[in-house]
Amino acid sequence: MIGFQIKKRHRAVEASIVDRYKQLPVANISDVMSRMFAGGPDLRPMHNGTGLAGSAVTVRCRPGDNLLVHKALEVAQAGDVIIVDAGGDLSNAIIGEIMVAYAKRRGLAGIVINGAIRDSAVIRQGDFPVFAAGVTHRGPYKDGPGEINVEISIGGMVIEPGDLIVGDADGLLCVPFDLVDEVYRETVNKHEVEERMLADIAAGTYDSSWVDTRLASLGCDL
């Protein structure tokens, strides 16, 4: 039934690739993706700041209802990220301490909720990655409907099952499954350029002449 179904995921990013992405800043990944993709400014880390990386198990649920999220905890494999489109509604929490503890026990890489969580003080002290849009003490309902492993969209960013989800203190990003190798290579190059810039700044040899060059090209009177 459309709107109330559980599908199987047919692909996932290899663990070795996920591990390599963990070493890269999300901002650099975003830069090489033309700064055109993001999970929206509302999705923020609710935990102690540990980085997030893993293959997506997608969930679309009715705002305020977490029945299909409970099922996703059973469907997901170790290293997966459960990413939930709960409509961005903050009236009822979708997950709390118990579900986070269970996800961690099952070896999942993290949970993303386009909606609210609760038990935020406990989650904030922990190292299990949880990203969400807000906090409320009001609990969820468990009536459905909802869908697992379907295409979802959060803040205009489309996520398909098996895509790579990455996150850090700057926010959340989805790297499409077919582009993970290309994006990784370009991100490494970008990161190395920035590391050299930081080294030049520390050494007092940083060249900022590009600023005037750019201003002149735009017609600015200098």
Side-chain angles (χ1 to χ4, degrees):
M1 177 188 301
I2 295 176
F4 206 1
Q5 58 183 333
I6 299 167
K7 293 187 173 183
K8 291 185 178 181
R9 187 181 64 183
H10 299 291
R11 60 186 187 178
V13 179
E14 294 181 5
S16 60
I17 296 175
V18 173
D19 288 341
R20 293 201 294 271
Y21 266 92
K22 290 178 181 178
Q23 314 305 315
L24 300 172
V26 170
N28 286 165
I29 303 171
S30 178
D31 284 347
V32 304
M33 294 177 69
S34 299
R35 302 164 183 161
M36 290 290 291
F37 304 90
D42 293 334
L43 286 180
R44 308 306 305 165
M46 297 291 176
H47 58 295
N48 71 359
T50 307
L52 169 68
S55 291
V57 171
T58 60
V59 182
R60 179 186 293 120
C61 64
R62 183 169 62 89
D65 191 291
N66 75 351
L67 178 61
L68 271 292
V69 182
H70 278 280
K71 181 61 179 178
L73 287 173
E74 305 294 336
V75 170
Q77 303 296 312
D80 285 342
V81 174
I82 294 177
I83 181 162
V84 182
D85 178 14
D89 182 79
L90 304 181
S91 300
N92 297 80
I94 298 298
I95 65 166
E97 178 183 5
I98 291 175
M99 294 177 75
V100 168
Y102 187 51
K104 184 174 182 178
R105 180 68 180 85
R106 296 207 65 240
L108 304 190
I111 301 177
V112 178
I113 306 291
N114 185 24
I117 66 165
R118 65 178 182 176
D119 305 321
S120 60
V122 174
I123 292 171
R124 189 174 298 112
Q125 294 170 6
D127 60 0
F128 183 81
V130 175
F131 285 71
V135 175
T136 180
H137 56 78
R138 293 174 59 179
Y141 300 98
K142 296 173 175 58
D143 303 308
E147 298 177 299
I148 295 176
N149 285 327
V150 296
E151 182 181 85
I152 62 173
S153 176
I154 296 177
M157 182 177 68
V158 175
I159 304 119
E160 296 187 7
D163 283 350
L164 178 65
I165 304 299
V166 292
D168 61 17
D170 287 340
L172 193 84
L173 183 62
C174 173
V175 182
F177 179 87
D178 293 331
L179 298 179
V180 292
D181 290 328
E182 176 185 347
V183 170
Y184 176 77
R185 289 192 300 270
E186 294 187 13
T187 303
V188 169
N189 292 336
K190 172 69 174 177
H191 188 54
E192 289 176 349
V193 168
E194 292 197 355
E195 289 293 297
R196 289 194 294 271
M197 292 172 66
L198 289 170
D200 289 343
I201 291 171
T205 59
Y206 177 66
D207 181 6
S208 61
S209 61
W210 67 269
V211 177
D212 284 348
T213 301
R214 178 60 174 160
L215 289 170
S217 73
L218 295 171
C220 178
D221 291 332
L222 299 175

